[in-house]
Amino acid sequence: MEKTKRLNHYSIEDVIEICNMTVVKDCIYLAQWVNTPIENLSAAQLEILHELPDEYNENAIGWNEEELKMLFISPIFRIANVNERGKLRTFFERSLSGKVNDIQISVVVDCMIATPTKAARPASPYFFLQDGPSSRYKRTKGDTHDAEGQMLAAMILAQDMNHDGYPLYGCWVQGKNWYFTVLNGVEYCVSRQFDATREPDLLQIIFILRKLKALILARL
Amino acid sequence: MMENPRRQSAKYDVDNLAEAFGIEPVDECQLLTDWLSATATLSVHECETIETLRQKLVKAGSNWNEEELKIQFIGVLLFIANIDEDKKIKTFFERSLSATVQDIPLSVIADCVIASPKGLGGSPRSPYFFLQEYKKSKGDKQDPEGQMLTAMIISQELNQDKQPLYGCWIVGSNWHFTVLNGVEYCVSRQFDATREPDLLQIVFILRKLKALILARIK
């Protein structure tokens, strides 16, 4: 008798294998997204941005996941300003569950950008971010807290829920390192590492997140 | 074996905590009055950010879950309040605290703790301020005031310095500030963060924490 497919641990290897995804090196959707040009920011935004690398370098050694999210990821999202009233909203700690090809998937998403329902609940999700801190609280890939595995599982589920043929966008964060991803059908591709304590990379992260808004609005 | 009912009832319920540890509610409290009367000067950027934040709370706040309230609103206010001081004061989130106080074991996960850091700075040594938040109403198992008071009682035991502890609990847009000084416990009026004067005062109150904490650790 064939064993039922299950996603128990959400390691990236399990998710790719069990859900039959293909890892692709070159991906036009990812290139168009992450190579977006850097534009101007306001003085107030630049002020916050300049403080972030120091904040990380001085304090991150002791941060847990919540502190990484509150003290580092959250200000980046605030500057990126992805929300669009009535059309796009950022949600945190939201549960998603369902079956895709008979595989039960159930994840709590650290951050998701989606169209809102009238009651302001997530309707169609287009972007997922999962975080995991580095340093002493470090979770390595392959264990039950694999941020990349959880992110990809959420993307697979959202692809099935949205059912619109459009690619899904994702990001997983490990400490200061951000990795952007695209899932298009069964093709999954991952960007280079962006080190958010380096100002050029940090600026690029802001504008990659901003580009999301344009990409998603264009499909609505 | 049956659990000691005194132990059981003390958990997170503000009335039972008061009874178990002899906490006395006090209406007039100089420490709280001094803290709440804080004033500060804000930059144009800070004022703009606070007003944007207030509008966001008015428009979207009722739909936020606890995590979203914390990330989209409370975290930003704490950032503007700028309480941290290198090697002296740090803001921690989701930290476990536990101690046995008068033979009663207490433990709580604090939503936010402001404390002096120990060692490499990765964990709180002496906590001075606690914040607990909740989206629904008081009175159930998730009573944020009870959790906050539990954390304050644990900290009195950990700090052993007879200094007052500061706290705040939030339900939706309503903030309440508290002081525990020995067994005397006092609570502020409600500050409604959707109202501009109240929100500004919340920022001033949070900012004043830094001076209050620095004054005692010098």
Side-chain angles (χ1 to χ4, degrees):
Chain A
M1 202 174 115
E2 198 185 334
K3 208 175 171 184
T4 313
K5 288 178 180 176
R6 292 185 70 87
L7 267 177
N8 287 329
H9 301 297
Y10 298 97
S11 70
I12 185 63
E13 292 84 1
D14 271 8
V15 176
I16 287 172
E17 197 172 311
I18 293 171
C19 298
N20 212 13
M21 297 290 121
T22 305
V23 179
V24 180
K25 291 277 184 217
D26 285 308
C27 166
I28 188 74
Y29 290 111
L30 183 67
Q32 283 172 349
W33 181 28
V34 300
N35 295 330
T36 187
I38 289 172
E39 291 167 23
N40 291 330
L41 291 172
S42 73
Q45 289 167 332
L46 283 171
E47 201 177 302
I48 296 170
L49 205 74
H50 289 320
E51 289 173 10
L52 283 174
D54 285 346
E55 172 73 13
Y56 187 92
N57 290 328
E58 284 164 21
N59 298 310
I61 192 167
W63 283 348
N64 59 21
E65 283 193 24
E66 189 67 13
E67 287 156 354
L68 177 70
K69 197 155 52 175
M70 291 293 293
L71 300 167
F72 196 69
I73 297 174
S74 168
I76 291 174
F77 267 83
R78 205 162 65 245
I79 297 169
N81 187 28
V82 185
N83 291 1
E84 179 82 13
R85 199 167 181 203
K87 291 183 175 174
L88 277 187
R89 275 192 59 167
T90 311
F91 299 89
F92 293 89
E93 294 285 319
R94 298 282 179 153
S95 302
L96 278 183
S97 64
K99 261 188 185 175
V100 181
N101 296 331
D102 241 12
I103 303 163
Q104 180 66 39
I105 295 175
S106 177
V107 284
V108 177
V109 178
D110 285 335
C111 171
M112 141 171 84
I113 294 170
T115 52
T117 64
K118 281 183 182 167
R121 295 202 177 94
S124 300
Y126 298 108
F127 170 81
F128 296 95
L129 178 144
Q130 291 292 129
D131 78 279
S134 59
S135 175
R136 73 181 69 168
Y137 292 96
K138 187 172 183 177
R139 305 280 188 186
T140 53
K141 286 176 73 174
D143 72 4
T144 52
H145 289 79
D146 183 338
E148 185 185 6
Q150 290 181 3
M151 173 214 65
L152 182 56
M155 291 166 90
I156 292 167
L157 190 55
Q159 190 168 246
D160 193 67
M161 287 162 60
N162 294 354
H163 217 73
D164 58 4
Y166 284 114
L168 267 293
Y169 299 92
C171 174
W172 94 87
V173 180
Q174 184 130 42
K176 63 184 179 179
N177 297 318
W178 293 51
Y179 304 84
F180 294 94
T181 68
V182 171
L183 178 68
N184 185 32
V186 295
E187 291 189 347
Y188 171 63
C189 49
V190 181
S191 74
R192 73 166 175 89
Q193 171 183 297
F194 289 82
D195 177 347
T197 61
R198 292 182 59 245
E199 197 157 320
D201 275 10
L202 181 54
L203 274 170
Q204 194 65 38
I205 289 169
I206 299 284
F207 285 94
I208 290 170
L209 293 173
R210 277 200 183 171
K211 179 83 183 271
L212 260 182
K213 186 189 240 174
L215 288 169
I216 300 171
L217 287 178
R219 72 166 69 166
L220 294 179
Chain B
M1 197 169 76
M2 225 178 114
E3 196 180 358
N4 180 341
R6 190 166 167 245
R7 287 182 180 184
Q8 213 172 18
S9 66
K11 281 185 181 176
Y12 315 130
D13 180 295
V14 70
D15 295 321
N16 290 332
L17 281 167
E19 201 156 296
F21 296 100
I23 305 292
E24 291 288 334
V26 179
D27 286 337
E28 297 288 326
C29 168
Q30 195 56 47
L31 287 165
L32 184 65
T33 308
D34 289 347
W35 182 27
L36 299 186
S37 64
T39 56
T41 307
L42 297 169
S43 71
V44 176
H45 294 156
E46 287 168 338
C47 290
E48 281 170 6
T49 308
I50 292 168
E51 180 53 20
T52 306
L53 204 57
R54 190 186 70 78
Q55 288 175 14
K56 205 169 163 184
L57 180 70
V58 171
K59 285 175 193 156
S62 60
N63 297 312
W64 288 339
N65 63 19
E66 281 183 42
E67 188 67 12
E68 287 157 355
L69 174 66
K70 196 155 57 172
I71 290 180
Q72 311 260 32
F73 190 75
I74 299 170
V76 188
L77 275 194
L78 287 166
F79 183 83
I80 295 168
N82 188 25
I83 303 165
D84 287 15
E85 180 82 11
D86 194 30
K87 295 189 173 71
K88 291 181 176 172
I89 306 174
K90 270 190 77 168
T91 308
F92 300 89
F93 294 92
E94 296 282 320
R95 294 290 181 148
S96 302
L97 288 168
S98 59
T100 299
V101 184
Q102 297 171 29
D103 273 346
I104 303 174
L106 292 174
S107 68
V108 71
I109 295 174
D111 284 339
C112 172
V113 185
I114 292 172
S116 55
K118 71 178 171 191
L120 295 173
S123 51
R125 180 199 300 280
S126 302
Y128 303 108
F129 170 80
F130 296 94
L131 178 147
Q132 291 292 137
E133 53 127 355
Y134 192 54
K135 276 288 292 183
K136 291 181 187 161
S137 55
K138 288 174 63 181
D140 65 6
K141 285 178 186 171
Q142 297 289 327
D143 183 347
E145 185 183 8
Q147 291 181 356
M148 176 213 63
L149 186 56
T150 304
M152 292 168 102
I153 293 167
I154 291 170
S155 292
Q156 274 187 338
E157 184 70 22
L158 296 174
N159 293 356
Q160 288 288 335
D161 61 1
K162 299 195 186 316
Q163 296 272 7
L165 270 296
Y166 299 91
C168 174
W169 93 85
I170 301 167
V171 178
S173 66
N174 295 319
W175 294 51
H176 306 79
F177 294 94
T178 67
V179 173
L180 179 67
N181 188 27
V183 293
E184 287 185 355
Y185 173 63
C186 44
V187 180
S188 76
R189 72 167 174 87
Q190 174 179 296
F191 289 79
D192 178 354
T194 62
R195 295 183 57 243
E196 193 181 332
D198 276 12
L199 182 55
L200 283 172
Q201 197 57 38
I202 289 169
V203 174
F204 298 159
I205 291 167
L206 291 173
R207 205 169 259 194
K208 184 151 185 192
L209 269 177
K210 185 182 213 160
L212 291 169
I213 297 170
L214 284 176
R216 74 161 68 171
I217 58 179
K218 267 177 186 167

